[in-house]
Amino acid sequence: DAKTTQPNSMESNEEEPVHLPCNHSTISGTDYIHWYRQLPSQGPEYVIHGLTSNVNNRMASLAIAEDRKSSTLILHRATLRDAAVYYCILRGDTDKLIFGTGTRLQVFP
Amino acid sequence: DAGVIQSPRHEVTEMGQEVTLRCKPISGHNSLFWYRQTMMRGLELLIYFNNNVPIDDSGMPEDRFSAKMPNASFSTLKIQPSEPRDSAVYFCASTKTGTNSPLHFGNGTRLTVT
């Protein structure tokens, strides 16, 4: 499975935008880029995914570099409830997800 | 939709005892996954099933661990005998195969082996 690299932690203030980066230089042509987050004491939850084009949903936006070697998860206005560990995962031909260490996002009031 | 249901939420047992964790996937999902999470090792995939058949069990730590899926609506993860190092949060997840659909996770079972 191709690997991803994320910063260990990031900080934000409430109501500010947050850009969470992810590097995946060994991504293959069929790998989808998935983002999940894990709130304290809960299981991971799906945030967004994409292949080549940028994607938007009610939770976040995903910006994918033209060469697909990196991507950025964008939270447009962080809230305290967005404090979580965010995982960037490459999903290939199988259904399984292999989690890395993720980015721990702290949001300050 | 009740989501993925895991039981029990918490389990405390003594070393050497058998432990059985249970999972009910979302109706209509045909892939099921068992994960384990610890501070040291993060989230690890233990095993996953497709249409009730184990597809990849390479993450199962050792023979003390076994998983079954007797039907589409139920799976178990058994540890026998349990050891203190098995203490972790165990998550079950399900999805529809081959559609790039998201995985839906349960709330986990926190296992403590003393």
Side-chain angles (χ1 to χ4, degrees), chain B residues 44-112:
Chain B
E44 303 174 276
L45 176 64
L46 300 179
I47 185 170
Y48 83 93
F49 295 83
N50 179 240
N51 292 324
N52 312 336
V53 175
I55 300 300
D56 183 350
D57 65 354
S58 59
M60 294 288 264
E62 47 196 278
D63 293 345
R64 297 184 298 106
F65 286 68
S66 63
K68 293 182 179 179
M69 192 162 185
N71 57 62
S73 59
F74 184 65
S75 176
T76 59
L77 179 67
K78 185 177 294 186
I79 308 172
Q80 165 64 18
S82 59
E83 297 183 3
R85 60 193 168 120
D86 301 330
S87 297
V89 181
Y90 291 81
F91 290 104
C92 176
S94 70
T95 190
K96 288 184 182 179
T97 300
T99 60
N100 212 15
S101 295
L103 266 62
H104 296 260
F105 284 78
N107 286 324
T109 295
R110 180 174 295 277
L111 173 65
T112 303

